Amino acid sequence: MKKFDYLIVGSGLFGATFAYKAKQAGKKCLVIDKRSHLGGNIYCENIEGINVHKYGAHIFHTSNKTVWDFVNSIVEFNRYTNSPVANYKGKLYNLPFNMNTFYQMWGVTTPKQAEAKIEEQKAEALLHQNGREPQNLEEQALLLVGKDIYEKLIKGYTEKQWGRDCKDLPAFIIRRLPVRFVYDNNYFNDKYQGIPIGGYNKLIEGLLSGVETKTNVDFFEDKTFWLEQADKIVFTGKIDEYFDYKLGKLEYRTVRFEEEIICVPNYQGNAVVNYTEREVPYTRCIEHKHFEMFGNDVYSCPKTVISKEFSTEWKPGMEPYYPVNDEKNSALYEKYKSLAEKETNVIFGGRLAEYKYYDMAPIVEKVLGMF
Ligand code: FAD
Ligand code: UDP
């Protein structure tokens, strides 16, 4: 008899949701995490009364009512609506690409004028494609929004974020962004979105309530010991590391955050400002209080906390944030996946173990589907 039904490696959203559902099903779980805190990348630290998203801005969004009801049963969510602003050489544009952006870019005021302008902007790309599906991010972006928006709002930002030419990146990355001919700056098309009231730690605390957890524990420091502790393992770390990198190393992008406490109540007037030109070294600047304080509520707290995000290639010792789903890495991942399928006692799940550009809601959906 082993001590636990499940050993869950990683206390991020995948591991924590799994632990919650397994506990409900009467299973005994142990969750371990190598970090000094629980919650993985959604962890927040309270600084000056503000919940600071330590691993990058996180906005929960979904159209799946089951997922939305589930997370709200753990903690109530607020009405935050993400509406980032892009700063290109000092000029501001609304995101995602909508009538406000088209007005700011070209002065067009009606959907008909905007559609005609985009058609004109796309003409060269259409000719170039000649009916062929877009093969990379550049081709896809030019077909979606045309030349001006690609050059001012996409190219520089994307190449900073991914450290690769837009021609070497998969087309799907840019299809994440909506393009719409209405005046609507909501970054997402989903039915539901928000931030947990009181911050993401409340969500993690709720999911892990009553579950045994251990932090500062790296599974690989004593893999044999940990494998003996439970009948089944849920592994949410890096899949290539699980197999000791024996087929080669997968590549990741990482982000370095430069955090600053500033003695003003309202620094940039918005949670997210993207700097889309190549010359500004960071991709975006986050002002955390706007996730949970709306309108003039921001003035109730005299200080503010901002983080500038610098995107770089991942190296051992850094946090692996984004899988790089280009052809080379996807092919290598498929080989690791075949090995994983042979490990009948181990469930590989989450952003790192499935090497997938997962948002939070699909993670929850996946785990709910497993039970
Ligand atoms: P993680 O949160 O990475 O958790 C994995 C955990 O496993 C970590 O705590 C890690 O320490 C632990 N671990 C790894 N290896 C070991 C080991 N050997 N031993 C012990 N523990 C280990 N999603 C959205 O829906 N909206 C957003 O706005 C959004 N913004 C994002 C911004 C950034 C910068 C990033 C990087 C991601 C963003 N996401 C967003 C995605 C979101 O972070 C993920 O979907 C979610 O956090 C993934 O959860 P996870 O459990 O798979 O991984
Ligand atoms: N993107 C862009 N300009 C922007 C914002 C996003 O070109 O101002 C592109 C970029 O390639 C990015 C992709 O759109 O990788 C998806 O953006 P999203 O905001 O969804 O990325 P994430 O939140 O995962 O960082």
Side-chain angles (χ1 to χ4, degrees):
M1 275 288 282
K2 300 212 171 160
K3 225 173 137 195
F4 297 95
D5 295 306
Y6 289 106
L7 169 78
I8 301 172
V9 182
S11 64
L13 195 56
F14 191 99
T17 309
F18 193 98
Y20 180 86
K21 293 300 289 180
K23 184 178 158 254
Q24 265 192 338
K27 305 289 182 193
K28 197 160 180 241
C29 302
L30 171 65
V31 179
I32 60 169
D33 203 297
K34 65 179 178 184
R35 294 185 187 166
S36 60
H37 59 75
L38 302 169
N41 287 348
I42 65 175
Y43 169 74
C44 294
E45 186 183 325
N46 195 285
I47 301 175
E48 302 284 346
I50 298 160
N51 287 318
V52 174
H53 297 206
K54 289 304 272 193
Y55 300 91
H58 278 77
I59 301 109
F60 199 98
H61 57 99
T62 182
S63 288
N64 183 322
K65 187 159 184 335
T66 310
V67 167
W68 185 243
D69 288 345
F70 173 77
V71 292
N72 274 275
S73 75
I74 310 289
V75 54
E76 198 185 329
F77 277 58
N78 71 20
R79 60 101 176 143
Y80 177 78
T81 303
N82 199 29
S83 46
V85 169
N87 181 322
Y88 177 76
K89 298 190 191 270
K91 190 159 186 255
L92 299 184
Y93 299 87
N94 287 110
L95 292 172
F97 312 123
N98 75 88
M99 282 304 297
N100 289 306
T101 330
F102 307 144
Y103 172 68
Q104 290 145 352
M105 188 68 64
W106 303 304
V108 293
T109 54
T110 65
K112 198 169 167 212
Q113 288 169 353
E115 276 159 20
K117 192 72 194 171
I118 291 212
E119 280 313 309
E120 179 192 313
Q121 289 272 317
K122 279 161 53 171
E124 210 179 300
L126 279 167
L127 208 67
H128 172 77
Q129 289 301 122
N130 198 16
R132 206 170 41 96
E133 285 291 303
Q135 300 299 304
N136 56 54
L137 196 149
E138 177 172 291
E139 289 183 359
Q140 178 68 81
L142 287 169
L143 283 182
L144 279 176
V145 286
K147 204 162 167 284
D148 288 354
I149 293 185
Y150 172 64
E151 281 170 3
K152 291 186 174 159
L153 304 184
I154 298 176
K155 189 172 163 49
Y157 184 93
T158 299
E159 294 186 354
K160 278 193 285 188
Q161 175 166 358
W162 295 99
R164 285 160 177 75
D165 196 283
C166 286
K167 291 194 192 73
D168 298 326
L169 287 165
F172 81 85
I173 291 180
I174 200 66
R175 289 199 294 264
R176 285 168 62 92
L177 297 193
V179 179
R180 47 173 99 102
F181 293 91
V182 288
Y183 290 92
D184 179 0
N185 298 328
N186 183 348
Y187 200 58
F188 303 115
N189 281 328
D190 285 317
K191 244 180 174 164
Y192 313 105
Q193 71 177 292
I195 306 281
I197 294 175
Y200 282 95
N201 295 1
K202 294 258 183 244
L203 175 62
I204 291 295
E205 280 159 23
L207 291 170
L208 291 176
S209 152
V211 176
E212 195 171 329
T213 59
K214 287 184 198 297
T215 49
N216 295 310
V217 175
D218 189 332
F219 173 72
F220 295 113
E221 276 181 6
D222 202 345
K223 190 172 167 183
T224 319
F225 169 79
W226 290 114
L227 287 174
E228 282 164 0
Q229 302 305 304
D231 293 332
K232 276 210 170 227
I233 311 296
V234 176
F235 181 76
T236 74
K238 288 166 66 222
I239 188 166
D240 53 349
E241 189 175 12
Y242 185 90
F243 292 106
D244 215 8
Y245 304 106
K246 67 178 172 194
L247 303 175
K249 285 188 176 162
L250 288 164
E251 291 174 303
Y252 301 85
R253 291 294 285 171
T254 192
V255 188
R256 180 173 61 80
F257 301 98
E258 261 182 28
E259 201 175 281
E260 232 180 297
I261 301 173
I262 302 181
C263 291
V264 296
N266 188 9
Y267 173 74
Q268 61 182 20
N270 203 31
V272 185
V273 178
N274 291 359
Y275 287 81
T276 57
E277 77 216 59
R278 206 72 182 83
E279 292 69 25
V280 175
Y282 46 91
T283 48
R284 53 189 178 186
C285 179
I286 308 298
E287 188 175 10
H288 299 266
K289 69 187 335 185
H290 295 288
F291 290 123
E292 294 181 64
M293 297 175 199
F294 305 129
N296 286 336
D297 288 356
V298 294
Y299 293 94
S300 64
C301 169
K303 291 185 187 172
T304 196
V305 183
I306 62 160
S307 313
K308 291 178 180 154
E309 297 188 5
F310 297 78
S311 188
T312 59
E313 204 63 16
W314 177 84
K315 290 197 182 71
M318 294 174 164
E319 291 293 348
Y321 282 111
Y322 293 94
V324 180
N325 292 113
D326 59 8
E327 252 172 61
K328 183 180 93 183
N329 286 291
S330 302
L332 180 56
Y333 167 67
E334 285 304 320
K335 290 187 192 156
Y336 276 117
K337 194 175 160 213
S338 303
L339 289 183
E341 278 158 7
K342 292 185 192 119
E343 302 273 309
T344 47
N345 267 352
V346 187
I347 297 167
F348 291 82
R351 224 182 212 214
L352 301 174
E354 294 179 69
Y355 199 65
K356 192 169 165 185
Y357 193 1
Y358 258 131
D359 276 334
M360 292 179 278
I363 294 254
V364 173
E365 186 175 344
K366 174 108 191 223
V367 177
L368 296 185
M370 293 166 87
F371 285 84

